[in-house]
Amino acid sequence: MHVPLLQIGGTVAVVAALIAWTGPVVRWVRRIADRRRAARNPAPGCRPLQVVAADVRRLARSVALVPAGSPMARRRALAAAYDDVLIEAAGLLEVPQELRATPEGPARDVERLRLLAALEGAGLAVRG
């Protein structure tokens, strides 16, 4: 069977054009897949400010309403969780804090109150 040379040249041109188009198409498909993967798996430790603010309010209520006679481990765990979420909120709002470096006791309570006032001053609704 005899195939004209012009027809073979046209086929080669089509194949060359397809190869030239595959590079940008593959890069485009990969970019879309990367965006979808990033949307499904957000960066760890980057919670939205609204969620952190809700945790601040929830833990503030929990710390204030610890029933009398509850174990000291529960009180300390709630206080530690509350301090962690306050520190996270301070980091998101770029508010300076010394809560982690302050030892337990009255000094830490004062620093906690100062940090709460600073977060309110930065616009976070800490009382709900």
Side-chain angles (χ1 to χ4, degrees), residues 6-21:
L6 183 61
Q7 191 176 18
I8 292 174
T11 305
V12 170
V14 168
V15 170
L18 285 175
I19 291 172
W21 277 94

Side-chain angles (χ1 to χ4, degrees), residues 13 23 25 27 30 32-34 39-40 42 48 55 57 60-61 65-66 73 86 106 116 126:
V25 170
R27 285 191 297 274
R30 284 183 181 157
I32 290 174
D34 289 343
R40 283 191 310 263
D55 281 350
R57 291 187 293 273
R61 280 190 306 272
L65 299 175
V66 174
L86 286 175
L116 277 170
V126 296

Side-chain angles (χ1 to χ4, degrees), residues 10 15 26 78 111:
V15 170
V26 168
L78 279 172
E111 175 60 21

Side-chain angles (χ1 to χ4, degrees), residues 34-125:
D34 289 343
R35 287 181 191 156
R36 288 183 178 172
R37 192 176 307 111
R40 283 191 310 263
N41 304 319
C46 294
R47 297 190 314 155
L49 184 59
Q50 295 87 349
V51 174
V52 175
D55 281 350
V56 167
R57 291 187 293 273
R58 178 181 58 82
L59 286 168
R61 280 190 306 272
S62 295
V63 167
L65 299 175
V66 174
S70 60
M72 184 56 75
R74 180 177 180 189
R75 292 176 190 269
R76 286 186 179 161
L78 279 172
Y82 186 48
D83 289 349
D84 287 344
V85 78
L86 286 175
I87 291 168
E88 184 179 4
L92 288 172
L93 293 173
E94 298 177 355
V95 172
Q97 57 84 21
E98 297 294 325
L99 195 57
R100 197 169 305 279
T102 308
E104 285 292 328
R108 190 170 189 120
D109 295 337
V110 169
E111 175 60 21
R112 194 177 291 124
L113 289 173
R114 188 208 61 80
L115 182 55
L116 277 170
L119 289 172
E120 275 188 337
L124 187 71

